[in-house]
């Protein structure tokens, strides 16, 4: 029976051997939601970089039209579009995006040795879960909550619980203690229509920057974004589009 575990923040990823696992990285507010919307809005791929310096270097080396997104500790960076899904417009042609964030892209970079690596959010967790279950390769599943600058992130833990619920609704899995608690937290939050997310630390940070609409957008699009972001050959692509399944 496949096992499901949850890592509560990126700072402990190094304690896990992900090489034979299927990893799912979650950063609901905002990185993995932003990635889902980018792929939905005709961007060909997303390159996740762990810091601004590497993002700039990679953009210069790529020598093609790109969308450069980034933030540092929630603050905007000169020359980078702020990774707010509310301001991402549909790409006229399928160009790549290069993205650096404080939490989510760092977690992606730290998880890239996994056998399979996906990114998930509340907007597309149902797609990720269905694919992982149907493409059963017997690998254990590790859900990675990016966390918030070294701290626990409620929205990521709830996002992890979403994936757990969809998986166990499709088949039998062995849950770690962390996976069980994430599932309970998700189900409790769902009962109150995720209103507790408006009390969390990350929401308050976004509200201080007048970005409450970003949270609204994500919750309004709960399980409505039909993309399957998978890390392949150094970049994140929509596997559904690549395999002509949409």
């Amino acid at each position: 029976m496949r096992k499901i575990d949850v890592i509560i923040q990126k700072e402990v990823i190094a304690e896990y051997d992900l090489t034979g696992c299927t990893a799912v990285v979650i950063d609901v507010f905002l990185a993995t939601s932003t990635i889902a919307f980018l792929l939905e809005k005709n961007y060909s791929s997303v390159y996740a970089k762990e810091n601004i310096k590497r993002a700039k270097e990679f953009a210069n080396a790529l020598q093609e039209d790109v969308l450069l997104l980034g933030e540092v500790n929630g603050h905007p960076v000169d020359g980078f579009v702020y990774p707010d899904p509310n301001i991402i417009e549909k790409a006229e042609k399928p160009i790549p995006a290069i993205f650096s964030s404080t939490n989510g892209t760092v977690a992606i970079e730290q998880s890239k040795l996994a056998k399979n690596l996906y990114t998930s959010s509340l907007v597309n967790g149902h797609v990720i879960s269905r694919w992982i279950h149907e493409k059963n390769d017997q690998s254990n599943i590790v859900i990675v909550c990016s966390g918030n600058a070294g701290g626990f992130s409620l929205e990521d833990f709830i996002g992890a619980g979403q994936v757990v619920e969809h998986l166990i609704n499709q088949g039998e899995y062995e849950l770690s203690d962390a996976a069980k608690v994430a599932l309970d937290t998700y189900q409790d939050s769902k009962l109150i229509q995720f209103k507790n997310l408006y009390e969390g630390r990350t929401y308050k940070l976004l509200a201080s920057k007048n970005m409450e609409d970003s949270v609204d957008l994500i919750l309004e699009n709960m399980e409505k974004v039909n993309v399957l972001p998978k890390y392949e050959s150094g970049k994140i692509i929509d596997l559904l589009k690549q395999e002509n399944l949409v």
Side-chain angles (χ1 to χ4, degrees), residues 13-240:
I13 293 173
E15 298 175 15
Y16 288 74
D17 181 6
L18 298 179
T19 51
C21 297
T22 291
V24 181
V25 173
I26 298 177
D27 183 354
V28 173
F29 302 150
L30 291 168
T32 58
S33 294
T34 300
I35 289 169
F37 284 115
L38 284 166
L39 294 174
E40 183 189 46
K41 292 180 182 292
N42 201 37
Y43 287 87
S44 59
S45 58
V46 181
Y47 292 91
K49 299 299 173 183
E50 59 188 342
N51 58 51
I52 293 296
K53 181 175 182 291
R54 290 196 176 183
K56 287 180 178 178
E57 291 172 348
F58 187 79
N60 291 334
L62 204 57
Q63 295 185 331
E64 61 178 284
D65 290 340
V66 299
L67 176 68
L68 200 55
L69 303 101
E71 52 82 12
V72 176
N73 296 320
H75 300 295
V77 179
D78 287 344
F80 286 69
V81 174
Y82 198 87
D84 177 353
N86 258 310
I87 62 175
I88 296 171
E89 297 182 355
K90 186 173 182 178
E92 294 183 2
K93 61 179 181 178
I95 63 171
I98 301 172
F99 184 10
S100 173
S101 69
T102 304
N103 300 299
T105 63
V106 175
I108 292 166
E109 279 285 292
Q110 292 177 347
S111 304
K112 64 185 181 182
L113 294 181
K115 180 179 180 180
N116 302 294
L117 174 57
Y118 304 92
T119 67
S120 181
S121 177
L122 293 174
V123 301
N124 69 321
H126 61 306
V127 180
I128 300 295
S129 307
R130 184 172 62 245
W131 181 269
I132 290 173
H133 178 77
E134 291 177 353
K135 299 297 179 181
N136 182 7
D137 61 1
Q138 299 302 311
S139 62
N140 291 330
I141 301 158
V142 180
I143 305 170
V144 180
C145 300
S146 298
N148 192 336
F152 175 80
S153 172
L154 175 62
E155 66 274 7
D156 294 350
F157 202 55
I158 287 172
Q162 176 198 35
V163 174
V164 174
E165 182 181 76
H166 280 289
L167 285 169
I168 65 172
N169 283 345
Q170 297 174 90
E172 293 188 3
Y173 292 85
E174 179 182 340
L175 305 187
S176 70
D177 288 350
K180 292 175 184 176
V181 178
L183 174 63
D184 289 343
T185 304
Y186 169 72
Q187 292 175 334
D188 289 344
S189 184
K190 185 165 60 170
L191 287 174
I192 58 171
Q193 298 179 314
F194 303 99
K195 291 179 181 177
N196 54 340
L197 291 180
Y198 289 93
E199 300 297 325
R201 174 185 174 191
T202 311
Y203 175 78
K204 292 176 180 178
L205 172 63
L206 292 172
S208 72
K209 299 178 180 298
N210 299 314
M211 293 177 60
E212 300 97 324
D213 289 350
S214 299
V215 175
D216 294 337
L217 177 69
I218 291 165
L219 294 181
E220 287 165 4
N221 282 276
M222 176 96 176
E223 300 192 357
K224 293 180 180 178
V225 181
N226 191 38
V227 298
L228 180 61
K230 185 178 184 186
Y231 183 96
E232 288 191 351
S233 303
K235 61 186 177 183
I236 299 165
I237 51 93
D238 179 6
L239 199 58
L240 294 183

